[in-house]
Amino acid sequence: MRSGDDELVQKLSERVAEEIESLPRDGKDHEIRIKIKGSHNNVNLGSQTFEVKPGKELPPEGSNRERVCPQCEKPTWRFTQLCMHCDYDHHRHDQIEAEEQDALRKKRNELRLLVVCVASIAIAFGGFSLKIYFPAEYQGWVAGFSALAGFIAFMILQAVR
């Protein structure tokens, strides 16, 4: 949204809320007309039709707009902030769940790095310790490979700090 649109949306929301509150509560269909004159940011706003239904309506069963509330376990709208039954904050729940998933993913990555680091240290130590048992033409390769494994372990330890 552009910077000036927030004020326009706020005024329009307030006006619509006033009109809805003034409707009779007789259970019948009523029509609200709000005329918007002129244009905003070179866009002709024209006329809009909004359908206002009394009470809370459940989302279509099985649609992609439905979700089960984690608190009351009743179906509610997927993209609304609050559950229509118990007012549970879905956005906060989703945020906490995403943070928990990120923390779990970070722990898994740290464990993988630890395994690679321990394996690199074992290869480096084992290579340097056992290079004398290899034929002379391979001892240079074993020493180089061991040094590379030690360097990898060192880099992992530096990255984890």
Side-chain angles (χ1 to χ4, degrees):
M1 246 190 275
R2 296 184 197 135
S3 61
D5 290 348
D6 290 337
E7 183 181 340
L8 178 68
V9 169
Q10 179 66 29
K11 287 180 181 179
L12 183 59
S13 297
E14 290 171 4
R15 181 75 174 109
V16 169
E18 289 172 13
E19 289 293 325
I20 291 172
E21 287 299 317
S22 69
L23 289 174
R25 302 196 183 275
D26 56 6
K28 296 180 182 175
D29 289 341
H30 297 278
E31 185 175 288
I32 297 176
R33 290 185 184 255
I34 298 176
K35 292 185 179 180
I36 303 172
K37 296 179 183 175
S39 63
H40 182 70
N41 291 335
N42 298 323
V43 176
N44 184 357
L45 298 173
S47 62
Q48 301 286 328
T49 303
F50 300 93
E51 185 177 344
V52 179
K53 297 182 178 182
K56 297 178 181 178
E57 184 177 316
L58 291 174
E61 191 173 328
S63 75
N64 63 348
R65 295 178 291 174
E66 178 186 39
R67 83 181 278 172
V68 175
C69 176
Q71 181 169 307
C72 69
E73 298 181 351
K74 293 181 181 176
T76 188
W77 292 95
R78 174 175 301 280
F79 301 109
T80 57
Q81 181 171 358
L82 301 177
C83 173
M84 61 190 287
H85 304 288
C86 66
D87 289 337
Y88 183 69
D89 190 343
H90 290 144
H91 290 183
R92 182 69 183 138
H93 173 82
D94 294 343
Q95 181 182 13
I96 290 170
E97 196 172 89
E99 289 169 1
E100 289 172 354
Q101 290 294 326
D102 286 343
L104 183 61
R105 190 176 304 112
K106 185 177 178 182
K107 282 186 178 188
R108 273 194 222 122
N109 287 342
E110 288 174 354
L111 182 61
R112 287 181 186 131
L113 280 176
L114 180 63
V115 167
V116 170
C117 183
V118 168
S120 297
I121 290 171
I123 290 170
F125 180 74
F128 279 121
S129 300
L130 300 175
K131 79 174 183 176
I132 58 171
Y133 296 107
F134 284 90
E137 61 266 8
Y138 294 122
Q139 287 182 2
W141 283 98
V142 171
F145 190 68
S146 299
L148 178 63
F151 179 73
I152 290 171
F154 174 75
M155 293 304 292
I156 290 173
L157 289 175
Q158 293 301 314
V160 171
R161 265 197 220 174

